[in-house]
Amino acid sequence: MGIFERYLSLWVALCISAGVLLGYWIPGIFSIIAKLEVAHVNLVVAVLIWVMIYPMMVQIDFSKIRDVGNKPRGLVLTLVINWLIKPFTMAALGWLFFKVLFIDYVDPESASEYIAGMILLGVAPCTAMVFVWSQLTKGDANYTLVQVSVNDIIMIFAFAPITAFLLGVSDISVPWETLLISVVLYVLLPLLAGIITRHHLEKNNDGEQISSFLSTAKPWSIVGLLGTVILLFGFQALRILEQPLIIMLIAIPLLIQTYGIFAIAYGAAKLLKLPYNIAAPACMISTSNFFELAVAVAISLFGLHSGAALATVVGVLVEVPVMLSLVYFANKTQHWFALNK
């Protein structure tokens, strides 16, 4: 493990701080970057995420993907958590905290918007960042790809109905352009690039070429992650600094949700006797959120300065450091699981 991976938590913390400070000191630059978008998908963030996951796609041996069907339990675990449990626990926690426990601290209209933002996070399973978590937990890259792909297909059909049901709105408008463009940018394009690159490197059946390429390209994954963190926090710096109490109130149920869902998934993976290289990424996929989509939909439905948009940004604030802590925990407890098969 290189210096970037070893101290990734430190780099992320520094980038969060840098993003907030830069966004406060020079907001004009971030305003310009924020306008570079198509269907609410920021193109600069898309490029950084592409840089982040492209080396991971090259690492995948696509000829082995057909074997995933022989080990369906990890895929079933991810689908059950993502679509039958997580959206509903997120909605329940949002209601409990903002309609009951925090009722004296937040006005009713804002409380409803915060709950809406949390629901959007809960209904959007992770697409891009999960490749980072899978790599850091030494997960099966081929299996991770299939899990993400299946989740993306289901998301196209299930995102709007589940969101509408949980928000209690029958005619909710979901920006399908945002969803489809995000999937293309964050999954399809880097996947195709990975296939082409690996095919080219395998022409001479020389495994050393692939190893050499990956050792050169792998650090760029970390660069893409850190750049994405700086931009996302730079975009919302003023709001984060102006509303610290609200940030804390929103973060509490999000933290409970994230650690709670991971505990459920990790326990289920243990009961299902999954090998570690499938169990770890399956739990990471189940726990993390597609925050890029959640932010975009919140802005589209409720507005840039809405409580819903703020809640999704707090989701980013919570997710990155929390997921890193879960990566650390998973790596330290991998002996709880069977050897990789």
Side-chain angles (χ1 to χ4, degrees):
M1 183 178 290
I3 188 171
F4 282 110
E5 292 92 341
R6 188 180 302 276
Y7 300 105
L8 184 56
S9 298
L10 173 62
W11 309 137
V12 169
L14 291 174
C15 287
I16 288 175
S17 301
V20 172
L21 291 175
L22 290 172
Y24 177 74
W25 287 332
I26 48 176
I29 293 179
F30 287 92
S31 296
I32 294 172
I33 296 175
K35 293 177 182 177
L36 301 175
E37 62 176 31
V38 174
H40 299 292
V41 175
N42 186 270
L43 299 180
V44 178
V45 172
V47 169
L48 287 172
I49 292 178
W50 196 93
V51 169
M52 177 173 61
I53 64 177
Y54 165 61
M56 303 171 200
M57 293 298 192
V58 177
Q59 188 176 342
I60 296 172
D61 184 354
F62 298 94
S63 64
K64 295 181 180 178
I65 289 180
R66 61 178 178 271
D67 298 330
V68 169
N70 299 326
K71 300 175 288 185
R73 289 176 297 170
L75 180 59
V76 171
L77 172 63
T78 300
L79 296 179
V80 168
I81 296 290
N82 271 333
W83 299 108
L84 299 181
I85 297 178
K86 188 165 72 171
F88 304 96
T89 56
M90 183 73 94
L93 283 171
W95 180 87
L96 173 64
F97 277 88
F98 286 103
K99 294 296 186 179
V100 180
L101 300 179
F102 295 158
I103 193 170
D104 295 330
Y105 302 98
V106 183
D107 65 87
E109 182 179 352
S110 296
S112 297
E113 291 190 353
Y114 299 147
I115 295 170
M118 293 176 59
I119 288 172
L120 289 171
L121 285 168
V123 184
C126 190
T127 291
M129 292 290 289
V130 72
F131 292 106
V132 176
W133 314 137
S134 179
Q135 178 178 314
L136 292 176
T137 55
K138 307 175 183 67
D140 185 324
N142 305 318
Y143 206 96
T144 299
L145 174 64
V146 172
Q147 288 175 303
V148 171
S149 300
V150 173
N151 268 299
D152 285 340
I153 292 171
I154 293 176
M155 182 161 52
I156 292 174
F157 299 100
F159 182 87
I162 294 178
T163 301
F165 172 75
L166 292 176
L167 291 178
V169 179
S170 60
D171 59 346
I172 186 172
S173 175
V174 175
W176 294 106
E177 267 190 297
T178 300
L179 177 57
L180 295 175
I181 291 176
S182 295
V183 171
V184 169
L185 288 176
Y186 301 148
V187 178
L188 183 59
L189 288 181
L191 173 60
L192 292 175
I195 293 174
I196 293 170
T197 302
R198 189 175 182 95
H199 176 73
H200 176 74
L201 295 174
E202 285 181 333
K203 278 184 176 179
N204 298 322
N205 294 320
D206 186 359
E208 291 185 3
Q209 287 190 27
I210 295 178
S211 298
S212 176
F213 176 85
L214 289 175
S215 65
T216 301
K218 201 172 179 181
W220 287 99
S221 293
I222 307 301
V223 172
L225 168 61
L226 299 182
T228 301
V229 170
I230 290 174
L231 279 184
L232 289 175
F233 283 91
F235 291 152
Q236 299 292 336
L238 296 178
R239 304 188 68 202
I240 291 172
L241 293 173
E242 290 171 355
Q243 304 180 63
L245 175 60
I246 294 301
I247 300 300
M248 183 184 71
L249 294 181
I250 296 172
I252 291 172
L254 289 179
L255 284 168
I256 295 172
Q257 163 81 359
T258 305
Y259 282 118
I261 288 296
F262 180 82
I264 294 171
Y266 215 56
K270 176 70 174 170
L271 290 175
L272 291 170
K273 298 181 179 180
L274 299 178
Y276 175 74
N277 66 336
I278 290 178
C283 294
M284 297 299 163
I285 295 171
S286 300
T287 305
S288 56
N289 303 308
F290 192 175
F291 55 78
E292 301 92 346
L293 177 63
V295 172
V297 175
I299 292 172
S300 176
L301 293 178
F302 299 98
L304 179 61
H305 301 292
S306 65
L310 180 61
T312 56
V313 172
V314 177
V316 184
L317 175 65
V318 169
E319 173 151 332
V320 175
V322 168
M323 291 304 298
L324 287 172
S325 73
L326 293 177
V327 165
Y328 177 82
F329 176 81
N331 285 331
K332 285 294 184 180
T333 58
Q334 59 183 285
H335 60 279
W336 294 359
F337 296 85
L339 295 176
N340 300 341
K341 303 179 190 181

